[in-house]
Amino acid sequence: MTNPYDIHKVRRDFPILSIQMNGKPLVYLDNAATAQKPERVIRRIHDFYQREYATVHRGVYTLSQNSTWECEQVRDRCRKFLNAPDRDEIIFVSGATEAINLVASGYGRPFISTGDEILITEMEHHANIIPWQQICLEKGARLKVAPINDEGEIILEQFRKFLSPKTKMVAVTHMSNALGSINPVRRMAKLAHEAGAVILVDGAQGVVHASADVRELDCDFYCFSGHKIYGPTGVGVLWGRKQLLEKMEPYQTGGEMIKTVTFEKTTFAGLPQKFEAGTPPIAQIVGLGAALDYLETLGVENIRRHEKEILDYATEKLAAIAGLRIVGRAKSKGGVISFTLDGIHPHDIGTVLDQEGIAIRTGHHCAQPLMQRYGLPATARASFGLYNTRDEVDVLVRGITKVQEIFR
Amino acid sequence: MIPEPKLSHLYQEVILDHNRRPRNFGEMPDATVRARGVNPLCGDDYQIFLEINPAGEIQAVRFLGSGCAISKASASILTEMIRGKDTGYCDHLKNEFIRFMTQDKVPPAMTEAVGKLKLFEGVKEFPVRVKCATLIWHVLEEALKSLPEKKEGGRS
């Protein structure tokens, strides 16, 4: 059987993958932090600035109207990508972090009050902890944390017990950036709704490695960052149910998001502009569109299959290394492997691997409470993208052997 | 320009040895002063314990905590270098070492002043790791700051 996914061809789409790092071919395994960009995205942004750039939603001149049209095409593109019911539910933000802050503030201010509860999980990224902590402080609400098991999976029975009529908001990650665990979001959404809460899903990782079909997940908010999905930095998407977004307060105010302004009173624009104050990241939005187009050309299912194969291969190879412990062994996992080596600090692992041309992340992965849960100050993390190969996994394994030789 | 980094410059045998067998590692319940320092970026976390006599001399020093090979070796070597010295000397050595690690051009006098700590020079080829080498010296600084001020003639 021939594999329709030609990895060598795919790799040629990413100019950076052919560079040398410290005299070795670059092996880029920090995709959970940020993904590299295909030439198509880089060129689209370049061409857009060279020939098409102007402000959006303001100019009566053709250049601005075209620029607006390009951006609004991407809104449609994102609606389709998330299988969202309505294009007005797609809000352009700077990234998943801003999206969560927007909901914490825009939904939390009017709808969360003293004695209410917000439920998150132990595996959340700081970006899905701190905005909720802040709104709890402001409103006198309580932050509750549903536990995970040692494999790094949410314990659904416990999660259910943490829900109560006091729970107003549930905020969970679709996929853990530090462990790779993919959460059973649909079931969690059902439980949240039964308790009368709304649920936000942090899709920063999930959008890359799992299915981000918001109707299938049946969540109320979903968000992701463009740069992790092979698009540019500075742009991301918040999707929310229209009836919720309409009731929410604006997160920021200023230009673009108004209907009429006098010095006495302002009336706000409808969706989505109500949440898009100021000039948006125009070229980045266009670049995000190019990234989604690129993924579609490769075929999302093909990408999943390839990443699963690389994850399985890497898990098998790494697990076979004596003294290596994989942190996070969830049954349902995306392309992330966190690990520790006996007696060797992750930063020393990272430095030695770097000299082999291998880029991995080391540290607490912006998930300090999760690290405390495992009693670890830090881990090393290899995270895979659509362009990584078995050969690169082999280079990683040899690199780890070298680390162990230096520190034996 | 950062010199071309060489792993052998970073992980010298002496450093690896101190990482494997850190000297003066452990708690000191009756310390005169103690301090703790954390590097939030990488999670390195160390405590230092000093026993100081009325003359201002370090009678005993121990450290505790976890972190990378560079930070641990640096802490271990610190304990060997400051024992028996007075606090004024410690303060001086700390300043010299931090300057040695953070300045591009190091005059020969400074290299001489840091003595054995010269072996951390290779760390400078890996700029993000410099803070690993200096962390324990900042912890020492905190500990010394918490000492009650001497009435007169105190060296600083």
Side-chain angles (χ1 to χ4, degrees):
Chain A
M1 199 183 88
T2 55
N3 188 347
Y5 194 83
D6 183 349
I7 188 66
H8 299 293
K9 189 169 165 297
V10 168
R11 288 181 67 81
R12 284 197 297 276
D13 293 338
F14 291 80
I16 204 170
L17 297 182
S18 58
I19 68 164
Q20 301 262 313
M21 192 48 60
N22 298 316
K24 309 275 170 59
L26 172 68
V27 174
Y28 186 75
L29 299 176
D30 195 17
N31 295 283
T34 196
Q36 298 298 345
K37 318 305 171 200
E39 191 165 14
R40 188 162 167 170
V41 169
I42 300 167
R43 184 171 302 178
R44 183 71 192 98
I45 294 170
H46 173 269
D47 290 352
F48 184 76
Y49 273 131
Q50 289 231 323
R51 294 196 298 268
E52 302 165 63
Y53 180 73
T55 193
V56 292
H57 298 138
R58 288 169 183 79
V60 296
Y61 49 95
T62 308
L63 195 62
S64 169
Q65 287 176 36
N66 285 345
S67 192
T68 305
W69 189 82
E70 289 291 338
C71 278
E72 291 307 312
Q73 285 293 105
V74 178
R75 201 185 300 277
D76 288 325
R77 193 77 195 66
C78 292
R79 186 208 64 74
K80 194 174 143 209
F81 184 70
L82 296 176
N83 191 25
D86 193 325
R87 70 185 308 281
D88 290 348
E89 298 174 330
I90 302 293
I91 316 289
F92 288 125
V93 290
S94 66
T97 295
E98 187 180 49
I100 298 169
N101 276 278
L102 189 159
V103 177
S105 162
Y107 188 86
R109 289 239 169 86
F111 298 116
I112 288 169
S113 43
T114 312
D116 286 347
E117 291 177 359
I118 295 172
L119 178 60
I120 62 171
T121 79
E122 264 183 328
M123 69 171 87
E124 299 309 317
H125 187 281
H126 293 166
N128 202 25
I129 301 174
I130 307 164
W132 306 114
Q133 265 177 350
Q134 293 301 102
I135 198 74
C136 282
L137 275 176
E138 191 180 317
K139 292 289 186 170
R142 282 184 67 196
L143 188 67
K144 309 274 275 188
V145 185
I148 57 170
N149 62 24
D150 290 344
E151 277 68 47
E153 298 164 317
I154 187 78
I155 308 166
L156 273 178
E157 306 86 79
Q158 289 287 325
F159 176 78
R160 189 199 313 261
K161 284 183 192 153
F162 273 77
L163 287 160
S164 83
K166 288 188 212 159
T167 316
K168 289 295 180 303
M169 171 63 75
V170 175
V172 299
T173 186
H174 194 176
M175 172 180 150
S176 162
N177 70 308
L179 304 172
S181 326
I182 295 177
N183 276 319
V185 169
R186 190 182 162 81
R187 292 168 71 189
M188 295 166 90
K190 186 163 185 286
L191 293 170
H193 290 153
E194 282 167 7
V198 298
I199 180 167
L200 171 140
V201 178
D202 170 3
Q205 303 295 333
V207 76
V208 191
H209 300 283
S211 172
D213 179 331
V214 296
R215 280 192 254 203
E216 172 65 25
L217 297 174
D218 199 29
C219 55
D220 301 297
F221 297 100
Y222 193 94
C223 60
F224 69 89
S225 300
H227 70 95
K228 292 195 207 278
I229 194 154
Y230 310 100
T233 52
V235 66
V237 167
L238 168 69
W239 168 83
R241 287 187 199 276
K242 199 170 189 176
Q243 64 270 32
L244 295 175
L245 291 172
E246 278 171 345
K247 289 193 292 185
M248 283 161 58
E249 289 178 2
Y251 165 63
Q252 292 182 324
T253 53
E256 177 104 0
M257 53 78 68
I258 51 94
K259 245 187 214 131
T260 58
V261 180
T262 65
F263 285 118
E264 289 72 38
K265 186 174 166 49
T266 293
T267 51
F268 301 127
L271 296 174
Q273 269 77 33
K274 179 170 123 183
F275 293 107
E276 293 181 355
T279 300
I282 300 168
Q284 287 85 343
I285 291 172
V286 170
L288 172 62
L292 295 179
D293 286 344
Y294 176 73
L295 295 181
E296 192 172 84
T297 347
L298 294 185
V300 172
E301 284 311 309
N302 295 332
I303 297 171
R304 292 277 144 68
R305 200 177 311 121
H306 173 75
E307 285 177 352
K308 173 90 171 63
E309 185 199 319
I310 297 297
L311 175 66
D312 289 349
Y313 181 69
T315 304
E316 182 197 327
K317 287 283 175 182
L318 262 57
I321 298 174
L324 186 147
R325 175 188 165 208
I326 293 178
V327 183
R329 305 294 305 249
K331 281 189 268 312
S332 179
K333 255 187 95 164
V336 165
I337 302 181
S338 259
F339 63 93
T340 58
L341 291 178
D342 288 348
I344 308 174
H345 192 276
H347 275 83
D348 296 317
I349 303 174
T351 294
V352 177
L353 293 182
D354 176 45
Q355 293 307 299
E356 298 298 306
I358 308 164
I360 61 157
R361 173 82 184 265
T362 57
H364 52 62
H365 316 296
C366 295
Q368 286 182 4
L370 178 67
M371 295 289 120
Q372 287 152 17
R373 154 75 177 72
Y374 282 95
L376 297 166
T379 71
R381 179 189 72 184
S383 54
F384 307 99
L386 59 82
Y387 37 62
N388 290 121
T389 64
R390 283 169 168 251
D391 286 350
E392 289 181 309
V393 173
D394 294 337
V395 173
L396 172 66
V397 170
R398 283 198 295 276
I400 291 171
T401 311
K402 182 162 180 191
V403 175
Q404 290 180 316
E405 277 165 14
I406 290 176
F407 289 97
R408 74 176 177 268
Chain B
M1 267 307 271
I2 305 161
E4 190 190 332
K6 284 222 168 55
L7 272 189
S8 56
H9 293 173
L10 182 69
Y11 297 121
Q12 298 183 36
E13 201 37 61
V14 179
I15 290 178
L16 291 173
D17 180 59
H18 277 269
N19 176 51
R20 266 191 293 265
R21 299 182 300 115
R23 324 294 199 262
N24 304 304
F25 189 77
E27 215 172 340
M28 189 197 291
D30 50 354
T32 320
V33 283
R34 60 183 65 205
R36 181 174 181 175
V38 176
N39 184 336
L41 194 73
C42 52
D44 289 355
D45 183 347
Y46 289 101
Q47 292 180 78
I48 201 166
F49 307 94
L50 303 174
E51 187 192 325
I52 301 172
N53 68 16
E57 284 163 357
I58 314 280
Q59 295 288 101
V61 46
R62 292 178 81 73
F63 82 103
L64 197 62
S66 69
C68 67
I70 303 303
S71 61
K72 189 172 278 177
S74 182
S76 174
I77 291 168
L78 172 144
T79 64
E80 288 190 328
M81 287 185 77
I82 68 167
R83 192 175 36 203
K85 301 293 195 301
D86 68 36
T87 55
Y89 170 82
C90 292
D91 207 48
H92 172 72
L93 184 58
K94 174 214 53 172
N95 291 336
E96 289 295 312
F97 180 59
I98 290 172
R99 278 170 55 203
F100 174 78
M101 290 304 291
T102 51
Q103 276 184 15
D104 274 350
K105 292 259 187 296
V106 174
M110 193 191 290
T111 308
E112 207 172 303
V114 299
K116 188 183 179 181
L117 294 171
K118 188 185 180 307
L119 64 94
F120 287 99
E121 196 169 18
V123 178
K124 294 169 76 172
E125 296 168 20
F126 300 79
V128 296
R129 305 299 300 273
V130 165
K131 60 182 170 32
C132 308
T134 53
L135 174 62
I136 196 69
W137 291 90
H138 289 292
V139 184
L140 174 69
E141 182 178 28
E142 284 304 309
L144 293 178
K145 266 198 229 159
S146 66
L147 273 177
E149 294 222 8
K150 280 190 224 164
K151 283 278 187 293
E152 54 186 325
R155 277 169 290 184
S156 63

